Amino acid sequence: MAQTSNKPDLRTPGGFNAQIDNGMGAMLGRLTRDRSVVRMLVLLVAAFAFFTLLRPSIFLNPLNLENIAVSAPEIGILAIAMMLAMLTGGIDLSVVAIANFTAITITTLYAGLAAGNPGQANSLLPLILLLGLALAAVAGWFNGFLIGVIGITPILATLATMQILNGIAVVWTGGQTLYGAPESLSVIAKTTIAGVPVLFLFFLLIAVVVAVLVNVTPLGLKLQLQGANPVAARYSGIGSRGVLTSTYVTSGLLGGLAGIVFIARNPTASADYGSSYVLLVIVIAVLGGTNPAGGFATVAGVVLATLTLQVVSSGFNALRLSAYEYSIAQGVILIAVMVADQMRFRARRRKRDLQPPVPAAPETQGKS
Amino acid sequence: MSETRTLPRASGLARFKGANNEGVLALVLVVLIIGMTIISPSFFSVGTFFAILRSSIVPLVFALAVLIVIISGGIDVSFAAIAIFAAYTAVKLTGSGNFDPGLIAIVLFACLIGALLGLVNGAVIARFRLSTLIVTLGTQGIFRGLLVAYIGSRYIADLPGSMSAVSTSNLISLEGGGANAYLHVLVVPVVLLCVLIALMLRRTMFGRGIYALGGDMEAARRAGFSVVRIQIALYVLAGVLAALAGVFHVILGRNANPQDLVGTELDIIAAVVLGGASIFGGRGSVLGTVLGVLLVQLINNSLILVGVPTAWQRTAVGVLLVIGVGIQAISAKRESKRVLVNDEVKE
């Protein structure tokens, strides 16, 4: 991930204290960021080692590893969308509904066209995909409008969008599973480059793009400020309306991309596909170091968290544990991570209260 | 969000509107009932009325649990998991209908389980000051997983005798004229619960503490409320209420299915928020919640009568939520703007 290194330049005129503060803030930010990434790496390796030790033959099977790589992207993309919403201090409960809605739209359009003229349907496929993404962006814009312009709390606004989209999807499909998703997508999904599934590369590409968006662009900075302190952001002239709208449009678009991955991986679409994903995606975002109160997140952490949970999921499969046991594990992981973060935050605050602020910065480096 | 206390206005209109828009909600209900009666005259009957009441029994008890959590400034999405966990476990332990310890024992046992699960929520939330949404999302996964993976995944069709006896007893039954109307006996405990919770919220120190917590946690602490104790107690209470709702659901449905209820959380939260409870805490009333639940049930019922497929219900509730909360948000914005202007004048 691109880390912006903003070292304080001591030679420039200006308050020395301000520079110290600035440098400290940057360092603290970098430390926490690095720590959540390092923690995720350790957890990923630990989870991998654990299941490898327990069931080496099943777990290290190339087929299993490929399965992990193919099933991770859709969840990972949704988790990145959730991360973006959380970064601004919100939450997007509607991402999974948006993904399903996109998948259903694309499948219906394609199947409808293919019934009449398969060749035409295939040549129009890029257009159909774009239309699906446009719908996802509109749904995201609607979220942004409700949150940024009307001023509805993100939980309720995205909850309502989720209900509306889900309801429309149920009516549209009649509660049935739709078949006939574009075959060319499934073909793409099955190809691998140097042994790595294309879907996984697509996921990494999206992660990089979002990481650049968050860390390098002015919009990314505004996003972080909006989440860290909405009042301060407003007084620094950041229009929360525009920032929130672009956030939710982006998370909607990511939801749409996840929807395309849904039908690429499995050429069917239904209204209630991935209904357990909302919890899972929040778990991943929080585990990846996203602060649900806003202002802080790393894409690398979320990518690693996605992989870790996929490893746990396939490990549970290898151990013949049920989906319900996996859901217990998700809940336990979520709460454990939040508690651990909270304890560390308190310990640091206590330390800072006891000592003068300047030497406190390097001390926090120790544990990871 | 800055909660601003509006000064009490004397006009009759404002009083009718109520502290949490209860009057407006009641008006919407009345308009809806009149509209439905005009569209289909068969709607306006005792039978429909009783049917709506019956369908409101379980949502209403859930809504009470959600209400106290929302007033305290939190949000709970684990109540449905607690409900089915408590009810299913209670039924399962009675040997799936072979052994019958009596209705009261079953209910008490379910409440005990509900209280324990609520305690888990409350302890984690109060002790570590975590986001209530995320903690309860986590516990929802845990409770439901524990239930299905370790307690039972099978549908239980034969309830203990004392429970199934309640299933078929009605408080009022009107028969004849081709339209039979039954008012289920469970309406009684639900009304009782509503009154009790309303009294608790308005008259007891604990109830006022819940409002204080939701208004401003730090201020509540400085005012001498034991924040941790109140928070734990209110989640325990929400757990007990959820367990009761679960038992009522099992009694009404005449079976215990571990897959039930989970997934209906959002409808309940929507109803409570529509009932005027502020998602930021500190505001909300039992009356508003009752009206909110009735409104959602009435709309669901009306959609069927008008001939709209039931599948649209979810969308309808979503649209309703956007409209209800949107109006609240816009008026709150207008209010906060007014406050800002005042501040500038002062300075």
Side-chain angles (χ1 to χ4, degrees):
Chain A
M1 238 181 39
Q3 303 275 6
T4 44
S5 65
N6 38 354
K7 279 185 186 156
D9 189 350
L10 290 173
R11 281 160 303 180
T12 50
F16 180 69
N17 278 338
Q19 277 166 1
I20 297 266
D21 277 357
N22 210 340
M24 240 190 70
M27 196 142 85
L28 265 180
R30 201 154 52 226
L31 278 178
T32 353
R33 198 174 308 178
D34 286 347
R35 181 187 289 131
S36 64
V37 173
V38 168
R39 176 179 74 188
M40 272 328 301
L41 258 180
V42 171
L43 277 179
L44 176 57
V45 171
F48 200 88
F50 179 72
F51 290 112
T52 307
L53 279 176
L54 281 179
R55 285 279 185 286
S57 56
I58 304 175
F59 196 73
L60 283 183
N61 191 322
L63 202 66
N64 186 44
L65 297 182
E66 196 187 311
N67 258 337
I68 294 177
V70 172
S71 59
E74 56 187 49
I75 294 162
I77 295 171
L78 290 171
I80 291 176
M82 181 65 77
M83 179 210 82
L84 274 181
M86 281 185 169
L87 186 56
T88 60
I91 193 163
D92 192 345
L93 299 174
S94 65
V95 269
V96 178
I98 292 179
N100 279 327
F101 191 66
T102 310
I104 290 170
T105 309
I106 293 173
T107 309
T108 320
L109 284 178
Y110 181 84
L113 277 173
N117 184 348
Q120 192 195 19
N122 271 327
S123 60
L124 282 178
L125 182 58
L127 210 68
I128 296 175
L129 293 184
L130 276 181
L131 191 75
L133 284 180
L135 274 181
V138 169
W141 172 85
F142 185 63
N143 276 331
F145 173 76
L146 291 180
I147 296 164
V149 180
I150 308 263
I152 300 178
T153 344
I155 299 181
L156 293 179
T158 54
L159 171 66
T161 317
M162 177 181 116
Q163 297 275 79
I164 294 173
L165 285 180
N166 204 302
I168 295 175
V170 169
V171 173
W172 193 351
T173 59
Q176 313 254 305
T177 304
L178 297 181
Y179 295 91
E183 275 162 31
S184 41
L185 281 182
S186 318
V187 173
I188 295 173
K190 285 203 183 81
T191 45
T192 54
I193 297 175
V196 184
V198 170
L199 277 184
F200 192 72
L201 295 175
F202 179 63
F203 167 45
L204 290 185
L205 175 74
I206 287 177
V208 169
V209 170
V210 176
V212 169
L213 177 82
V214 170
N215 292 304
V216 180
T217 64
L219 177 66
L221 186 63
K222 286 181 190 163
L223 277 178
Q224 300 186 25
L225 282 175
Q226 171 74 29
N229 190 338
V231 178
R234 193 171 70 227
Y235 284 128
S236 355
I238 291 172
S240 67
R241 197 177 282 198
V243 171
L244 290 175
T245 308
S246 22
T247 306
Y248 285 95
V249 168
T250 315
S251 70
L253 264 179
L254 288 170
L257 287 170
I260 293 180
V261 175
F262 281 1
I263 49 175
R265 198 165 81 84
N266 183 4
T268 59
S270 76
D272 43 37
Y273 180 80
S275 49
S276 62
Y277 279 4
V278 179
L279 169 63
L280 177 61
V281 161
I282 293 175
V283 173
I284 291 174
V286 172
L287 184 62
T290 309
N291 178 359
F296 183 78
T298 75
V299 179
V302 172
V303 171
L304 290 171
T306 307
L307 291 178
T308 309
L309 276 173
Q310 282 312 112
V311 164
V312 171
S313 158
S314 86
F316 270 44
N317 269 336
L319 292 176
R320 299 198 177 286
L321 294 171
S322 69
Y324 297 103
E325 278 146 335
Y326 181 47
S327 120
I328 301 174
Q330 284 171 28
V332 171
I333 293 173
L334 178 64
I335 292 173
V337 170
M338 300 265 297
V339 167
D341 278 353
Q342 188 67 19
M343 305 273 269
R344 205 177 56 211
F345 175 70
R346 279 188 191 172
R348 188 160 67 207
R349 201 171 47 183
R350 216 169 292 138
K351 212 176 277 178
R352 205 162 45 197
D353 287 346
L354 289 176
Q355 291 173 349
V358 180
E363 257 175 58
T364 50
Q365 199 165 15
K367 325 164 263 190
S368 69
Chain B
M1 279 298 135
S2 58
E3 278 287 312
T4 49
R5 289 265 165 261
T6 47
L7 291 170
R9 277 161 292 188
S11 80
L13 196 69
R15 189 180 303 163
F16 170 72
K17 211 178 129 203
N20 304 298
N21 292 331
E22 288 94 342
V24 178
L25 213 56
L27 202 66
V28 172
L29 266 173
V30 170
V31 168
L32 201 65
I33 291 173
I34 294 174
M36 282 308 300
T37 313
I38 293 171
I39 294 171
S40 81
S42 66
F43 172 80
F44 197 78
S45 70
V46 185
T48 317
F49 180 63
F50 283 176
I52 290 176
L53 281 187
R54 183 191 164 108
S55 66
S56 307
I57 289 175
V58 175
L60 196 49
V61 180
F62 274 141
L64 290 176
V66 173
L67 175 70
I68 54 175
V69 173
I70 285 188
I71 290 178
S72 80
I75 191 162
D76 185 350
V77 290
S78 69
F79 59 87
I82 293 182
I84 199 63
F85 191 115
Y88 185 83
T89 312
V91 172
K92 173 108 183 172
L93 280 188
T94 58
S96 309
N98 299 329
F99 157 72
D100 189 357
L103 184 66
I104 294 175
I106 296 175
V107 170
L108 282 181
F109 182 68
C111 286
L112 182 70
I113 297 174
L116 281 176
L117 299 182
L119 181 66
V120 173
N121 277 339
V124 174
I125 289 169
R127 171 75 181 76
F128 298 105
R129 300 251 148 281
L130 299 177
S131 153
T132 52
L133 172 69
I134 291 178
V135 169
T136 51
L137 257 176
T139 51
Q140 180 208 41
I142 297 174
F143 296 158
R144 195 169 126 80
L146 285 177
L147 172 66
V148 182
Y150 299 114
I151 293 175
S153 53
R154 286 235 314 280
Y155 167 97
I156 300 177
D158 44 341
L159 298 181
S162 57
M163 272 176 115
S164 48
V166 182
S167 307
T168 48
S169 44
N170 293 309
L171 188 64
I172 305 172
S173 25
L174 304 170
E175 294 182 20
N180 299 344
Y182 303 105
L183 185 61
H184 200 271
V185 71
L186 281 180
V187 168
V188 178
V190 173
V191 170
L192 224 68
L193 278 175
C194 287
V195 172
L196 279 179
I197 297 290
L199 283 178
M200 183 208 79
L201 282 174
R202 302 182 80 147
R203 300 259 181 260
T204 66
M205 210 55 195
F206 174 58
R208 300 322 291 173
I210 296 177
Y211 277 99
L213 224 69
D216 187 328
M217 203 176 272
E218 190 53 39
R221 194 195 323 275
R222 293 190 187 179
F225 286 108
S226 165
V227 170
V228 171
R229 204 175 301 160
I230 291 177
Q231 219 169 13
I232 292 179
L234 84 90
Y235 280 96
V236 169
L237 179 60
V240 171
L241 285 170
L244 281 174
V247 172
F248 292 171
H249 171 82
V250 166
I251 290 177
L252 284 178
R254 293 204 226 166
N255 64 64
N257 182 354
Q259 307 285 359
D260 269 1
L261 291 176
V262 175
T264 63
E265 297 90 354
L266 304 176
D267 282 352
I268 310 282
I269 295 173
V272 174
V273 172
L274 277 174
S278 160
I279 198 86
F280 304 113
R283 262 158 197 253
S285 68
V286 171
L287 179 62
T289 303
V290 171
L291 292 172
V293 170
L294 285 179
L295 181 64
V296 170
Q297 295 303 327
L298 184 66
I299 285 186
N300 283 347
N301 197 306
S302 313
L303 285 179
I304 299 169
L305 266 183
V306 180
V308 178
T310 48
W312 281 110
Q313 279 181 9
R314 228 182 268 181
T315 305
V317 173
V319 171
L320 202 66
L321 186 64
V322 167
I323 296 172
V325 184
I327 292 170
Q328 284 175 19
I330 290 172
S331 61
K333 225 177 206 180
R334 212 171 281 159
E335 210 112 289
S336 74
K337 249 181 212 151
R338 206 183 301 152
V339 172
L340 272 182
V341 172
N342 287 345
D343 280 356
E344 275 157 24
V345 169
K346 248 183 262 166
E347 282 163 5

